[in-house]
Amino acid sequence: MFSMQKLTRKMGLAMLAISASLALAPIGPALASAPMAHKAAPGFYRIMLGDFEVTALSDGTVKLPVDKLLKGIKPAAIDRILAAHFESSPLETSVNAYLVNTGTRLVLIDTGAGNLLGPTLGKVLENLEASGYRPDQVDEVLITHMHSDHEGGLVTKGHMTFPNATVWVNKKDADHWLDPDRMANAAKDRKGAFKNAIASFKPYIAAGHFKTFTGDQPLVPGIRALPEPGHTPGHTGYLVTSKGHTLLVWGDIIHVQAVQFDHPSVTIGFDSVPAQARSTRMNVLAKSASGGYLIAGAHIAFPGLGHVRKAAQGYTWIPVNYSVPR
Ligand SMILES: [Zn+2]
């Protein structure tokens, strides 16, 4: 028998049952409309420097126990400084390389870690391709110093990643890191750095694509080497100039920007000769500030491009304004 009253009562009970089941249903992923993507944009950022095109290439990031690595400052002070920058140790640290197209030469400065330092690094090649270039188009590779996070990308599965490129490095680094006797005499935990250097440069040396330089000298029209010794014996910056605009690709002058701009005397455990690394950092920071250079830093937060200004204590880092090249 149809009864309006019964129907209304039934509907009411059904509604109660639905709301009860909703109340019991798990809240969260089961009701989410889309899974999280967990992906970043391709890691390249492009600017013009006079007539030159400069592309910052991310190799990825690595977490460093900077509270243990930094020297000449108390761990508690490091923790305090990092907290003031909304960071903590281990600190996620960028590894950057830079591609310069001068119009006649395609020049890559540093190559990232390749497969030497784990899966969070080694992305220079894919980002170079994402940025619109092929590795066989690279004419010159300039290495700031022979540490794994700068040279590892030279090699892919034992072969030259950049088959048409000449690779340049300061002779002092080549003499140090490619010396088998020095490797044999090195402390056990230091041997890996020598082994990685030898493996990374081997195919270029075999192909006759390896060259060294000895000091402050031009290497490519518009790019000159600027020795910055201390972090390694032949650590070198590259000064890129076009139409009166100057970019200094300074390598590892700063490892921890939150700490070392304010406290340039602080060194890091990776330094070959810490006192020399310290005085080089002081000189390069002073020159960068007075010259108004655009800076590219291998371990400054990607894209690692900005300027340095003298401050009451130390220096201030001023990242570039976001811009889209036209
Ligand atoms: Zn480095």
Side-chain angles (χ1 to χ4, degrees):
M1 283 283 284
F2 180 79
S3 147
M4 200 63 185
Q5 219 178 354
K6 268 188 184 170
L7 183 68
T8 315
R9 209 176 70 228
K10 269 189 182 169
M11 280 172 70
L13 286 171
M15 296 281 280
L16 271 176
I18 289 168
S19 54
S21 70
L22 276 178
L24 292 172
I27 296 169
L31 294 177
S33 56
M36 292 186 191
H38 293 298
K39 255 186 172 178
F44 72 90
Y45 180 73
R46 184 160 283 149
I47 56 164
M48 294 302 291
L49 181 86
D51 286 340
F52 292 1
E53 179 202 72
V54 176
T55 308
L57 299 172
S58 172
D59 195 49
T61 61
V62 61
K63 287 196 170 183
L64 293 181
V66 298
D67 54 342
K68 296 182 180 64
L69 286 169
L70 293 178
K71 312 288 176 196
I73 184 167
K74 292 199 171 87
I78 297 171
D79 290 343
R80 205 171 48 241
I81 293 167
L82 291 179
H85 286 79
F86 303 95
E87 296 290 352
S88 59
S89 185
L91 180 66
E92 187 171 2
T93 303
S94 289
V95 176
N96 312 323
Y98 297 90
L99 186 69
V100 181
N101 190 339
T102 70
T104 55
R105 312 296 285 164
L106 187 61
V107 181
L108 178 62
I109 304 177
D110 284 338
T111 67
N115 66 1
L116 295 177
L117 298 176
T120 65
L121 295 176
K123 302 182 192 313
V124 158
L125 180 58
E126 69 184 64
N127 286 325
L128 179 141
E129 288 174 334
S131 85
Y133 289 100
R134 297 189 316 270
D136 63 1
Q137 293 176 305
V138 175
D139 298 299
E140 325 278 346
V141 179
L142 313 182
I143 299 291
T144 59
H145 62 294
M146 291 170 117
H147 274 172
S148 305
D149 53 325
H150 301 258
E151 74 206 358
L154 281 170
V155 167
T156 306
K157 293 179 181 161
H159 297 286
M160 292 186 284
T161 309
F162 310 101
N164 300 316
T166 299
V167 179
W168 295 83
V169 72
N170 188 308
K171 188 170 184 302
K172 285 186 179 157
D173 255 30
D175 289 348
H176 183 87
W177 298 105
L178 301 179
D179 181 351
D181 293 338
R182 217 181 274 268
M183 178 165 78
N185 295 326
K188 212 173 167 193
D189 63 336
R190 298 273 162 154
K191 284 188 200 296
F194 290 87
K195 216 177 93 206
N196 287 343
I198 290 167
S200 299
F201 290 90
K202 194 178 166 190
Y204 295 88
I205 295 168
H209 287 200
F210 179 72
K211 285 190 178 167
T212 59
F213 55 87
T214 52
D216 179 344
Q217 65 187 79
L219 297 179
V220 176
I223 306 182
R224 64 183 300 128
L226 194 73
E228 298 170 344
H231 180 52
T232 64
H235 182 266
T236 294
Y238 295 101
L239 208 54
V240 184
T241 310
S242 175
K243 287 208 162 160
H245 298 270
T246 301
L247 164 72
L248 174 61
V249 183
W250 76 14
D252 284 16
I253 287 296
I254 296 281
H255 287 89
V256 183
Q257 66 193 90
V259 176
Q260 289 174 296
F261 281 111
D262 283 346
H263 306 277
S265 65
V266 172
T267 61
I268 194 158
F270 308 129
D271 290 333
S272 287
V273 184
Q276 192 183 26
R278 179 187 301 127
S279 68
T280 291
R281 179 166 35 261
M282 300 290 196
N283 291 340
V284 171
L285 285 168
K287 197 186 284 189
S288 302
S290 65
Y293 299 160
L294 179 63
I295 300 298
H299 299 304
I300 305 230
F302 184 78
L305 295 165
H307 291 85
V308 171
R309 192 174 59 206
K310 182 88 186 81
Q313 181 197 331
Y315 293 84
T316 303
W317 172 253
I318 301 149
V320 289
N321 183 33
Y322 177 67
S323 93
V324 178
R326 318 246 178 235

